[in-house]
Amino acid sequence: MGKLSGKVIAIVTENGFEEVELTSPKNALEEEGANVHIVSPQKDKVVSWDKKNWGKDFRVDKHIEEASSGDYDAVVIPGGVINPDTLRRSEKAIAFIKSFFEQGKPVASICHGPQVLIETGALKGREVTSFFSIKTDLINAGANWIDKECVVDQGLVTSRNPDDLPAFNEKMIEEFMEGKHEGQKTI
């Protein structure tokens, strides 16, 4: 039995996510016994971005219209440049992600992924990190941006880039094991 046996985790993404930023956390979560669903505004599949070109197709397990945060213990938002810019345009995706903050459930996001979190209004006063190019965006959203491989703030786990995946995965699993935190800042 893994540390996350019985937990159901959503990975919310659009096309153009950085492939390793979905596959590495997904594999780490599944190795710990979690049931992981790819949730997307796309109906059948999403296409990754792999360094400099389009990558593999991944099956969508649940369309965003059918997804409820009540069915999940935590959520992961991978990065990539295209994914967050497209995902943040989906009102359903933003509402879905925001509901995790409202319920005090853990949220993990890497690289450009935290750009999506801006739309939730949940970053004010929180410590985060990200790919350096969106630092100003996160600060303008009220976050306290820190240049560190992994930052954890009351159930919110963020990292800068694929090089940080080992630290990101470790802290993500730890926070997902803990689940809702007593006194966790909700919105």
Side-chain angles (χ1 to χ4, degrees):
M1 293 260 294
K3 296 176 184 175
L4 298 176
S5 291
K7 300 259 186 194
V8 184
I9 313 298
I11 298 179
V12 181
T13 191
E14 256 289 357
N15 290 316
F17 58 91
E18 187 65 46
E19 190 170 306
V20 71
E21 292 173 5
L22 182 142
T23 57
S24 176
K26 185 175 190 293
N27 291 340
L29 291 165
E30 289 173 342
E31 284 172 16
E32 291 297 342
N35 185 359
V36 182
H37 295 169
I38 295 176
V39 177
S40 178
Q42 298 298 318
K43 289 203 187 291
D44 299 317
K45 66 177 180 165
V46 283
V47 183
S48 69
W49 188 260
D50 191 11
K51 298 179 189 80
K52 296 183 181 183
N53 293 295
W54 288 103
K56 297 177 187 149
D57 292 354
F58 291 80
R59 183 176 56 83
V60 171
D61 298 300
K62 192 156 285 213
H63 187 263
I64 197 69
E65 298 276 345
E66 302 163 350
S68 166
S69 62
D71 297 335
Y72 296 97
D73 296 292
V75 66
V76 180
I77 301 102
V81 177
I82 299 166
N83 169 47
D85 188 60
T86 307
L87 194 59
R88 68 194 301 195
R89 299 178 211 173
S90 167
E91 289 180 24
K92 295 274 188 196
I94 297 304
F96 179 74
I97 295 164
K98 183 177 182 177
S99 64
F100 283 86
F101 285 107
E102 291 168 344
Q103 296 170 48
K105 292 181 178 180
V107 175
S109 190
I110 187 167
C111 200
H112 288 78
Q115 197 172 37
V116 176
L117 303 181
I118 292 170
E119 303 302 320
T120 68
L123 296 182
K124 193 167 181 66
R126 288 189 185 257
E127 292 187 348
V128 300
T129 195
S130 68
F131 192 73
F132 71 92
S133 69
I134 64 167
K135 170 184 175 180
T136 301
D137 300 329
L138 294 167
I139 291 169
N140 287 340
N144 177 18
W145 191 87
I146 300 167
D147 186 11
K148 207 166 121 184
E149 71 178 355
C150 188
V151 174
V152 179
D153 184 338
Q154 300 177 44
L156 174 60
V157 181
T158 53
S159 282
R160 301 173 300 192
N161 59 54
D163 293 339
D164 298 336
L165 278 164
F168 178 75
N169 289 343
E170 180 183 333
K171 287 298 186 183
M172 173 187 64
I173 289 166
E174 189 178 300
E175 292 300 307
F176 289 7
M177 275 176 47
E178 291 176 15
K180 290 183 183 181
H181 296 301
E182 208 52 46
Q184 181 171 327
K185 186 189 298 183
T186 57
I187 57 169

